[in-house]
Each structure stands twice: as C-alpha cells, then as structure tokens.
Amino acid sequence: MGRCKLSTLMQEKGVIKQIYLHLLGDQPRMPWKCLMFGNAARPKAKFTVWLQMQNILLTADRLNKWGMMIDTKCSLCQKAKETRDHLFVECEYTKAVMHKLMSWTQNQSIVAGSWEQHVQEVIKRAKGKSKEAQLFKMLYSELVHYIWIERNRRIFEKTSIGWERIAKEIACVCCVRAPPRIVDIVQRYSF
C-alpha cells in the first residue's frame, strides 16, 4: 500500500471516528462495554449479557409489573422473588455455578452485596487484554446465558439440570471457543 493511500485511509478513519462521536453526542458510555468487545463467547451469550446489563431480561418481577399474573418466586432456588439482581447476584444456584467455574480457573468467586458491586467486580475482571480478562469475559457471558436458559427450562419445560452439569457445560464451551491466544491457559485447568 502506498504512503498516499495509507495517509488517506488514516484520515478517513479519523473522520469516521469524529462522525461516530458526533452521533454519540452526550450519551454516556456504558462502563460494561468491555464485556462486549474482544469476547470469544457465543453471540447469543453476549446478547444475553447485553440484555442483563440493560435490565431488560423478562424476569418474573418485570412481567408482573406489566400485569401478567405469574409466580414471582425464583425458579432456580425457590427462596426469593425473581429479579435480575436476585438471579445473578443472590441466587444460591447461580452462586454454586459461579463458585465452581471460578475454582476451575483458580480465581476467587465474585462476592457482592448488590447489583452495582457485582457489575463493578465483573468490569474489573473483564477489563484489559490479558489472557485472564479474555477468559473471564467468555466465562461470565456463558454463565449468564446458561443461567437464563436453565431458568427458562424450569419454567416452560418443567425440567432441570443440576448446577454441576451446567458448570461442566460452560467449561466445555469455553474450552472449545477459546481463541488461540488463551488456549494454553484454558487447557491448563482441569475440571
């Protein structure tokens, strides 16, 4: 590529970035965007995380607010009202899966008292380009997706899978989808 073409290309990228920033306007940048970019998780898992972070998953409490008369008890633990915060921060079933996956990757489980603390910890672990951050992004996205699928399976199909099997399936998906850069650390862990 000639020097003139490269210069033109760099100028165009600058223009495109400026147009993007102009269109973005005063919209705040989402602090959890690090979960979306450079994430080797399946697209449907990343989409589920996007819904989770926006708080637009159709949890029982949201459906109830819309006037739908449904059971609001968490289908995973049967102990509390199903909300996004409960499902992904407080639920014992989710905590068990998370703990198993974090011990698999030799990390400490996320311990948070609120949704905000949970998100801050997730962002802290997912930021950066390190191998550990890449693995965590993929692992967290698959965890959120599998928890949501298990929740739906229990409600609509009246069947369930144990948390051990879900943790094993998530680990398997992460091993298969791991990009070449992090394959070595994923294969280092034994389940």
Side-chain angles (χ1 to χ4, degrees):
M1 185 180 272
R3 187 174 201 138
C4 186
K5 286 184 180 181
L6 183 61
S7 175
T8 305
L9 185 61
M10 288 175 66
Q11 287 174 347
E12 287 175 8
K13 280 190 176 183
V15 170
I16 291 171
K17 183 177 180 181
Q18 294 208 356
I19 291 171
Y20 170 75
L21 291 173
H22 179 72
L23 290 173
L24 189 61
D26 292 335
Q27 296 291 326
R29 293 184 182 191
M30 296 295 124
W32 45 264
K33 69 180 181 181
C34 61
L35 289 168
M36 300 293 115
F37 301 109
N39 188 342
R42 296 173 297 171
K44 58 186 175 182
K46 290 191 286 188
F47 181 68
T48 307
V49 169
W50 182 81
L51 292 171
Q52 175 207 36
M53 291 294 169
Q54 302 268 349
N55 197 17
I56 53 179
L57 285 171
L58 295 177
T59 52
D61 69 317
R62 293 191 72 229
L63 293 172
N64 233 7
K65 286 179 187 175
W66 292 353
M68 298 178 78
M69 302 312 282
I70 59 168
D71 183 19
T72 59
K73 193 174 276 189
C74 175
S75 60
L76 299 176
C77 69
Q78 299 293 318
K79 293 182 180 177
K81 185 177 175 183
E82 183 188 90
T83 64
R84 175 204 54 191
D85 298 10
H86 169 76
L87 204 56
F88 296 106
V89 178
E90 302 159 2
C91 181
E92 295 301 320
Y93 185 91
T94 304
K95 284 181 181 180
V97 177
M98 173 69 84
H99 180 71
K100 181 67 175 174
L101 291 170
M102 290 296 107
S103 64
W104 173 60
T105 60
Q106 300 168 359
N107 286 306
Q108 290 186 340
S109 287
I110 295 174
V111 179
S114 69
W115 173 253
E116 291 75 22
Q117 290 173 344
H118 176 79
V119 171
Q120 286 175 354
E121 184 64 27
V122 167
I123 291 168
K124 185 174 93 175
R125 292 185 188 198
K127 270 194 174 177
K129 295 184 179 183
S130 69
K131 292 179 179 184
E132 290 77 16
Q134 281 190 313
L135 176 59
F136 181 79
K137 284 184 231 191
M138 181 172 46
L139 199 67
Y140 183 76
S141 298
E142 294 296 341
L143 167 74
V144 169
H145 181 69
Y146 268 90
I147 291 298
W148 188 248
I149 294 300
E150 177 62 16
R151 175 251 187 213
N152 288 340
R153 182 182 295 122
R154 289 177 182 216
I155 292 172
F156 301 114
E157 297 174 13
K158 306 293 186 220
T159 61
S160 64
I161 295 177
W163 65 265
E164 300 94 345
R165 183 169 164 205
I166 287 183
K168 199 172 271 192
E169 286 182 16
I170 293 169
C172 182
V173 167
C174 289
C175 287
V176 170
R177 292 197 59 87
R181 183 171 185 260
I182 65 170
V183 165
D184 62 324
I185 67 166
V186 173
Q187 291 176 347
R188 193 175 2 163
Y189 305 129
S190 60
F191 202 79

